[in-house]
Amino acid sequence: MPGNQSPQQNAASISEKAAFLAQCDLFRSLSMAEICALEHSVNIISCATGRILYRPGDTNSSLFLLKTGRVQLYHLSTDGRKLITATLESGACFGEMPLVSRCPQNSFAETIADSSLCVMSKNEAEQLLARNPLVAHALLHIVGQRL
C-alpha cells in the first residue's frame, strides 16, 4: 500500500532534486509533500571551478545548497590576500546573510571545484522562512555554527 512505504521507498519515487533537499539539514522538518512543493522553487545550476557566486555588497543574493563540489567563503585583506573563513562541501547551505540580517553579503563565495548547486531566490527563501518557523530556526542554527 502506498501509505505504508518506508522513507527510503518513498524517496525512490521522487526526483533526485527532492531527494537531495530532503537530506539537507535546513529542510529536515518538512514533510515529503512540502519538499516536493519546495522543489519547484529551486533551480539546479552547474558551476566550473573559480566561479564567484556572490561578493561583498551584493544584496540580491540567493540561498545556495551545495549538491556536489566545494565552495570557499572568504574576505580579502587590505593587501589583497584571501582570508578563508569556510570551505564548504556537499550538503552545505550558504548565502543566507541577506535573509537573516537584511544586510548585504559581507564575503565572497567561490567554487573551488566543479560544483552543482540548488539555488533559491531571496524572495522564495523569505516566503519559505515566513511559512515554516522550523526551517527559519534551522537556518539560524546553521548561521550560528558558522560564526
Side-chain angles (χ1 to χ4, degrees):
M1 285 177 74
N4 293 334
Q5 289 181 333
S6 71
Q8 292 80 14
Q9 291 169 322
N10 196 19
S13 66
I14 62 172
S15 77
E16 181 183 338
K17 183 173 25 171
F20 170 74
L21 294 172
Q23 296 302 310
C24 291
D25 289 342
L26 186 59
F27 304 126
R28 292 241 166 110
S29 64
L30 298 179
S31 70
M32 213 42 168
E34 290 170 314
I35 292 287
C36 289
L38 175 65
E39 175 184 21
H40 302 292
S41 301
V42 176
N43 295 311
I44 295 180
I45 61 170
S46 295
C47 301
T49 301
R51 178 162 176 196
I52 303 289
L53 300 166
Y54 57 78
R55 54 185 30 114
D58 284 356
T59 56
N60 194 18
S61 189
S62 301
L63 182 64
F64 297 93
L65 297 154
L66 184 57
K67 193 167 185 277
T68 61
R70 296 176 69 206
V71 171
Q72 272 186 347
L73 304 182
Y74 63 90
H75 301 277
L76 292 179
S77 68
T78 54
D79 62 358
R81 287 180 296 131
K82 188 187 279 189
L83 305 171
I84 299 167
T85 56
T87 300
L88 307 175
E89 306 219 352
S90 181
C93 170
F94 62 100
E96 71 287 331
M97 287 313 288
L99 293 170
V100 297
S101 69
R102 305 276 188 232
C103 295
Q105 292 292 352
N106 63 1
S107 65
F108 289 87
E110 179 179 354
T111 58
I112 58 170
D114 289 349
S115 301
S116 177
L117 299 121
C118 289
V119 183
M120 180 183 290
S121 74
K122 181 178 177 180
N123 185 46
E124 291 282 350
E126 286 174 340
Q127 290 176 23
L128 174 67
L129 296 175
R131 286 190 316 265
N132 295 283
L134 291 175
V135 174
H137 183 265
L139 183 62
L140 290 175
H141 180 73
I142 291 167
V143 171
Q145 286 182 320
R146 197 169 297 138
L147 298 176

